[in-house]
Amino acid sequence: MSLARFGYGSCNQLMEIQQESKIIIGESYQIDIIGLTHDGEGVGRIGKMVVFVPQAISGDLVIAKVISVKKTYARALINQMIKSSSDRIEPSCSLVKQCGGCQLAHLQYDKQLYWKQQHVSEALKRIGKIKANVLPIIGMENPTAYRNKAQIPVAFQNQELVMGFYQKRSHNIVDLEYCQIQHPLISKAVQVMKRILVELGIAPYDEQNHTGVLRHVVIRVSFSEKALMILMVTRTRKIPQLNELISRLRHEIPELESIMQNVNPAVTNVIYGSETRLLWGKPYLIDEIGKLKFVISACSFFQVNPIQTKILYDVVKKAVFLTGKETVWDLYCGIGTIGLYLAENAGQLIGVEIIPEAVEDARLNAKCNGIEHAVFYLGKAEVIAPKLVRQGLRPDVIIVDPPRKGCELSLLQTISQVKPAQIVYVSCNPATLARDLEILNTMGYAIDMVQPVDVFPQTYHIETIALLQRAIS
Ligand code: SAH
């Protein structure tokens, strides 16, 4: 059986399975794990019913307690490991089981890579009906300490102030001491901050009663400058003991260059509110990718793994045919990184992005790097692109790098109308990549190359680059 298969199992098949099985919530069952879902959970069966088991991998034989039974599948948690898979390792982080952020940490790294590779091929084949040669995934030499950003909820739990990550499917926070995938400066800053907050008596937000102050702390690090930004997301604009807090953070974290505040007074699970202000230092961090420097504001998107980002952008740069005259559109451009990375070989660069701060950063980044032939527009790619077409603009190359939900169909239609010679699709979701590639394929684009890059080791997330060439005019 294929590894990823059941993540998308056909409904008819699963319904049949369900009818033949009676599974009781709270009971434990022996389960042979035979595959992994698209989000990295083990897949096995109780009778004929499909069961998802977090933290389990192919080759494990487990006793697991059923926690929910749905129409077509059940979920169960490992009680006891009867036989471990030969691919299993002991994760270097003791919190892996509770935290759930590193879904694949117990799988050998080369097997993680193999699974990701298979997953991309399978998604293309099954969802996109595309037979493409998927190049071997590019992994990390050292797949730890790679993340440059952590969004950390703060709360009182059992009378203690905790800062960490939410357990999967819950609002229970796993208190963070050290995180194997975060830059060590981030783990250090969390510890310091936790202590200072307790000492100064600054109350965390209480989501039951909508009281307290501090909701989230977002910590960013610049790998190239070893500098930190702390963004405090608060319910109230006023932070008690603010001056003392700032002075102690500065004193105890010498790498700190920026302290920001975002005010979010709403009763909501959305992290950020609309007001962001500088409390101390600079309102941005600067990091490098290759020879370019990038200004990153508190609310802008920046790739979380700067080491693999350079590799990712180098793959794009090598794949795209540019002679210095071509017009490149970088849609979903964030702070302009991919386009600016290619700009030295392009005649003109147009970037489109929906977050206003990111567009400002992109403009600044072009300026800082001496790139004069770049313009950036604020708005939705699917709205701005047709406007550019109506103005008579014609790109030679279009890069799209959408969020997980992929591109709007209307954007793909605009792209097919404007007929660029090449399209580069950078994707963080193989399923929507496959869907969109199939559409572009029917619009006359041949898939030339598919290259997965492991930007998120230890997790199920996969980044993939696809290069498409116009096959018919
Ligand atoms: N290419 C950038 C950013 C990729 S992340 C990089 O490599 O860093 C995706 C970006 O798309 C985010 O910055 C997000 O704000 C933006 N975005 C989301 N929906 C959008 C839309 N409909 N139109 C334009 N940008 C969008």
Side-chain angles (χ1 to χ4, degrees), residues 18 32 117 151 369 431:
Q18 193 251 341
D32 212 347
Q117 173 90 21
Q151 288 180 166
N369 290 291

Side-chain angles (χ1 to χ4, degrees), residues 197-252:
L197 290 172
V198 172
E199 283 166 12
L200 296 182
I202 298 173
Y205 176 62
D206 174 346
E207 53 179 10
Q208 299 296 325
N209 301 310
H210 195 53
T211 53
V213 179
L214 192 56
R215 303 174 74 122
H216 272 80
V217 175
V218 182
I219 306 177
R220 271 190 144 143
V221 59
S222 156
F223 273 49
S224 65
E225 308 217 328
K226 308 266 175 304
L228 278 175
M229 169 188 279
I230 290 181
L231 168 72
M232 292 184 276
V233 183
T234 59
R235 182 183 66 89
T236 51
R237 197 168 196 273
K238 185 171 178 331
I239 302 177
Q241 307 253 48
L242 182 60
N243 291 342
E244 183 64 13
L245 175 64
I246 291 173
S247 114
R248 292 188 57 180
L249 285 172
R250 285 179 58 193
H251 178 71
E252 297 205 32

Side-chain angles (χ1 to χ4, degrees), residues 23 59 66 89 95 98 105 143 149 168 171 175 182 219 269 284 324 333 346 356 380 389 393 398 405 429 444 456 463:
I23 293 168
V66 172
I89 53 164
L95 296 177
Q98 296 105 290
K149 181 182 168 193
K168 201 170 176 187
H171 265 209
D175 201 23
Q182 295 290 351
I219 306 177
N269 281 339
Y284 54 80
C333 70
K380 290 184 177 173
V389 175
L393 296 173
I398 292 184
K405 66 176 184 170
N429 183 350
F456 311 101
E463 196 82 5

Side-chain angles (χ1 to χ4, degrees), residues 289 299-304 309 312-313 330-339 352-356 358 377-384 399-408 411 426 428 463:
I289 301 174
C299 296
S300 296
F301 175 88
F302 186 62
Q303 297 277 353
V304 296
T309 297
L312 185 94
Y313 289 1
D330 179 9
L331 308 181
Y332 311 86
C333 70
I335 58 170
T337 40
I338 302 185
V352 180
E353 163 63 43
I354 203 172
I355 306 259
Y377 295 108
L378 173 64
K380 290 184 177 173
E382 56 274 24
V383 173
I384 302 287
I399 301 162
V400 292
D401 185 4
R404 287 184 66 75
K405 66 176 184 170
C407 295
E408 293 285 321
L411 176 66
V426 182
C428 55
E463 196 82 5

